[in-house]
Amino acid sequence: MSLLTTLRKDKMQALKDKDTVKNGICSLLISAIALAEKEAGQPLSAEEELAYVQKELKQTKDTLAQTPASRPELIAETQRKIEIIEAYLPAQMSEAELDDALRAVIAELQLEPVMKNKGTLIKEMMARYKGKTDGKSVNAAVGRVLN
């Protein structure tokens, strides 16, 4: 079952449950994916669909970071949105898993663990673990492992 089909079913369930936050998130993701499919003229692959979910997650996290601390109701709603969006993504890698994977990539590519190889490592990690991690986490892991 495609992500788009899952989103549409979840949207219908959210409407029945009168869950406006989940309904809004599902609508947002459905419209982004459907528009991309229409522009491409063909259905998107699972990876391409996940890219739109990750993009929305990143934007929502940025919104949370910019929300003033004096607005706890807005912070709570944004955190709920993040939880809903993360449910549509594969399980994210932990820091330890990311560090181990990075060490394996360094060994496999026979690179020296120095900062000049940072770009190569980030590019390789993002290609291998697309959907399981984000660039910010990979950048932090590279910083930890190379120092």
Side-chain angles (χ1 to χ4, degrees):
M1 180 182 326
S2 75
L3 179 60
L4 199 54
T5 307
T6 304
L7 284 166
R8 288 185 173 131
K9 284 183 178 179
D10 289 352
K11 178 179 171 50
M12 293 307 295
Q13 188 59 46
L15 284 169
K16 290 176 186 175
D17 297 341
K18 295 183 178 24
D19 186 347
T20 55
V21 175
K22 188 165 187 170
N23 180 26
I25 292 293
C26 289
S27 296
L28 189 72
L29 293 173
I30 289 168
S31 63
I33 293 169
L35 178 65
E37 283 185 346
K38 187 175 181 181
E39 287 176 351
Q42 62 186 16
L44 298 178
S45 70
E47 276 187 6
E48 292 169 327
E49 288 178 336
L50 285 178
Y52 285 96
V53 178
Q54 285 177 317
K55 180 180 176 185
E56 187 56 39
L57 178 63
K58 184 178 186 297
Q59 289 175 348
T60 307
K61 284 183 176 180
D62 289 345
T63 301
L64 180 62
Q66 295 173 3
T67 305
S70 60
R71 302 286 309 270
E73 73 285 349
L74 208 54
I75 290 171
E77 182 180 330
T78 306
Q79 287 173 332
R80 176 136 191 278
K81 287 179 181 179
I82 289 171
E83 289 172 10
I84 292 169
I85 295 169
E86 285 177 339
Y88 294 107
L89 290 171
Q92 300 294 295
M93 295 174 74
S94 69
E95 280 186 16
E97 291 172 327
L98 210 49
D99 291 351
D100 292 342
L102 186 59
R103 286 186 186 96
V105 168
I106 290 170
E108 185 180 319
L109 297 178
Q110 298 175 349
L111 294 173
E112 290 181 41
V114 291
M115 287 307 268
K116 85 173 187 180
N117 292 327
K118 184 176 184 176
T120 305
L121 289 170
I122 291 175
K123 184 178 176 183
E124 186 66 27
M125 289 292 289
M126 291 304 296
R128 289 185 187 196
Y129 300 104
K130 190 172 189 151
K132 293 185 177 184
T133 189
D134 61 345
K136 198 174 190 179
S137 301
V138 170
N139 187 24
V142 169
R144 281 192 310 271
V145 171
L146 295 185
N147 285 336

